[in-house]
């Protein structure tokens, strides 16, 4: 029986996004333990045949001091568990995984779920950050057993030399539960009444952490422009600002748009699936370097047409004119043109939702992604 230790930088993210995968591993005969921050979610996860370890992770603290503190904890846990495979997700756990296991002989897998802000912004400061990130990723790839990326662009950017190519594997996304995210389980008319969406309104929805590089300003500007011509177009922006991220959308900006009759910031919500079911189109003009955003996969599974920026990861979810449209990143006008195209030709949406649903099932469902990961485990 192979044993696997899964490492995340957020108990909440593990609970929402990785727990089903851990259970799937158990069902397939793996012995599974997890290592997550001590942020209150360990008690929600215990009791499902999972061994849970925790570590202290504090944001906005001395980075170097925390690095050494967490490294000691990781080394101790890795030594005590004696697992076959250590699979970490996101930058900080990946760094800890590799450093704590240097020359140990353990099978370490680092999972890159997106390259982040350093690869999203063009300023000199962020180009410097990218150079530093490149050096760190080169180190991580060299000293890990396998590196998983979620889109071909990340694979290309991280294949610094040809000899690294064999160590980098492509697994497109983290998967989506197509049974849970299924429009057929909702009464759409009742939900549109609940959210006060008129029978002639066309509702666009964006679900995202609110940082500038997600295209939030471009969205608001575009729909403000569109609203001058089309009164029946609405945009719901679901999600809150990531206050730990220096590039977060400010509360002031959100407050300044409270009177916008076409744009509504809804904040964090627990009824995202209902909001998706009530919507007509999912729109996501992000130029943040994502892996493949989970929100896009959920929208696909909920049979929504997509308008998405033509950026790495995001563009894998759209087949042009079949289930949606790709737009130029950082462009208000590109969003306006694409939305107006739909408003003037609503028949374009016919069949797009069904195509999105089938794409989710065939390519991005957790059944497909989980099997790809298990196959990778068995082959390393």
């Amino acid at each position: 029986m192979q044993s696997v230790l899964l490492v995340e930088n957020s108990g909440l993210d593990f609970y929402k996004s990785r727990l089903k995968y851990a259970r799937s591993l158990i069902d397939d005969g793996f012995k599974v333990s997890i290592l997550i921050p001590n942020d209150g979610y360990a008690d929600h996860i215990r009791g499902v045949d999972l061994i849970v370890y925790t570590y202290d992770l504090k944001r906005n603290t001395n980075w170097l001091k925390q690095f050494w503190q967490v490294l000691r904890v990781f080394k101790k846990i890795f030594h005590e568990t004696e697992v076959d495979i250590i699979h970490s997700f996101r930058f900080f756990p990946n760094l800890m995984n590799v450093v704590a296991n240097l020359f140990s002989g353990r099978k370490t897998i680092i999972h890159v779920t997106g390259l982040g802000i350093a690869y999203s912004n063009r300023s000199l400061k962020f180009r410097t950050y990218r150079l530093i990130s490149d050096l760190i990723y080169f180190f991580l790839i060299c000293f890990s057993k396998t590196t998983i990326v979620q889109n071909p662009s990340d694979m290309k950017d991280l294949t610094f030399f040809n000899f690294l190519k064999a160590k980098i594997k492509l697994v497109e996304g983290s998967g989506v539960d197509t049974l849970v995210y299924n429009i057929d389980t909702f009464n759409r008319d009742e939900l549109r009444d609940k959210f006060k969406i008129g029978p002639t309104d066309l509702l666009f929805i964006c679900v995202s952490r609110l940082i500038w590089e997600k295209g939030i300003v471009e969205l608001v500007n575009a729909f403000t422009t569109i609203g001058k011509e089309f009164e029946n177009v609405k945009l719901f922006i679901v999600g809150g600002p990531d206050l730990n991220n220096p590039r977060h959308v400010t509360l002031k900006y959100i407050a300044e748009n409270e009177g916008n009759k076409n744009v509504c910031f809804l904040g964090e919500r627990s009824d995202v699936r209902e909001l998706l079911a009530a919507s007509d189109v999912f729109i996501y003009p992000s130029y943040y370097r994502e892996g493949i955003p989970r929100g896009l996969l959920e929208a696909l599974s909920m049979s929504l047409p997509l308008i998405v920026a033509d950026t790495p990861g995001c563009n894998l979810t759209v087949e042009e004119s079949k289930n949606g449209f790709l737009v130029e990143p950082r462009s208000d006008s590109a969003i306006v043109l694409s939305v107006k195209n739909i408003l003037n030709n609503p028949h374009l949406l016919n069949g797009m939702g069904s195509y999105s649903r089938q794409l989710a099932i065939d390519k991005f469902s957790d059944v497909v992604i989980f099997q790809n990961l298990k196959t990778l485990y068995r082959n390393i």
Side-chain angles (χ1 to χ4, degrees), residues 29-41:
F30 290 86
K31 181 181 178 181
V32 183
S33 51
I34 68 169
L35 176 57
I36 57 174
N38 186 20
D39 55 5
Y41 280 87

Side-chain angles (χ1 to χ4, degrees), residues 56-301:
D56 289 327
L57 181 63
K58 298 177 181 178
R59 297 181 184 268
N60 301 321
T61 188
N62 184 293
W63 194 91
L64 189 59
K65 180 180 179 182
Q66 179 158 257
F67 174 87
W68 291 113
Q69 289 174 340
V70 174
L71 182 61
R72 284 195 295 270
V73 174
F74 274 44
K75 280 188 171 182
K76 182 174 184 293
I77 292 171
F78 294 162
H79 178 72
E80 290 176 352
T81 55
E82 296 184 351
V83 293
D84 299 309
I85 297 169
I86 302 173
H87 182 175
S88 54
F89 300 82
R90 307 182 200 276
F91 185 82
F92 187 69
N94 287 340
L95 181 61
M96 293 292 101
N97 187 3
V98 172
V99 174
N101 285 298
L102 277 176
F103 313 115
S104 71
R106 298 187 185 97
K107 295 177 181 178
T108 54
I109 298 176
I110 63 170
H111 203 131
V112 180
T113 57
L115 296 180
I117 195 71
Y119 295 76
S120 307
N121 203 301
R122 301 166 180 168
S123 70
L124 177 60
K125 179 176 74 172
F126 285 97
R127 286 202 297 268
T128 303
Y129 289 164
R130 175 168 179 167
L131 176 60
I132 296 169
S133 295
D134 281 345
L135 293 172
I136 295 173
Y137 276 122
F138 177 68
F139 163 77
L140 294 179
I141 296 168
C142 283
F143 287 96
S144 62
K145 180 69 175 179
T146 300
T147 296
I148 298 173
V149 296
Q150 294 190 340
N151 65 69
S153 295
D154 287 3
M155 175 177 276
K156 180 180 178 182
D157 284 345
L158 295 181
T159 306
F160 305 105
F161 300 99
N162 281 334
F163 76 87
L164 295 177
K165 190 175 294 186
K167 302 189 72 171
I168 303 175
K169 307 298 181 182
L170 177 64
V171 178
E172 294 184 338
S174 298
V176 60
D177 190 330
T178 57
L179 297 178
V180 171
Y181 288 89
N182 185 352
I183 188 69
D184 293 337
T185 61
F186 297 89
N187 187 315
R188 177 177 162 81
D189 292 335
E190 287 184 2
L191 290 175
R192 286 178 74 88
D193 287 341
K194 174 182 175 180
F195 297 123
K196 298 181 172 57
I197 308 303
T200 62
D201 288 342
L202 197 66
L203 177 59
F204 293 74
I205 187 170
C206 175
V207 182
S208 174
R209 286 185 305 141
L210 300 189
I211 61 176
W212 298 120
E213 282 75 13
K214 298 286 187 172
I216 302 302
V217 171
E218 290 84 356
L219 261 184
V220 172
N221 290 346
F223 276 81
T224 301
T225 299
I226 294 164
K228 296 173 182 177
E229 186 177 346
F230 297 89
E231 292 186 358
N232 66 325
V233 63
K234 308 292 181 187
L235 171 66
F236 284 175
I237 299 177
V238 181
D242 182 356
L243 299 179
N244 291 308
N245 190 314
R247 297 291 299 164
H248 71 267
V249 174
T250 63
L251 297 176
K252 179 183 177 182
Y253 179 80
I254 296 172
E256 288 171 351
N257 283 280
E258 283 184 0
N260 192 321
K261 61 184 176 62
N262 296 97
V263 179
C264 183
F265 283 89
L266 298 184
E268 298 283 356
R269 300 284 294 231
S270 60
D271 55 354
V272 172
R273 284 191 303 148
E274 291 186 351
L275 287 162
L276 291 173
S279 300
D280 296 293
V281 180
F282 192 94
I283 187 163
Y284 194 72
S286 172
Y287 45 93
Y288 187 85
R289 280 299 293 267
E290 319 261 2
I292 297 181
R294 183 172 295 274
L296 283 178
L297 301 185
E298 292 170 355
L300 284 176
S301 189

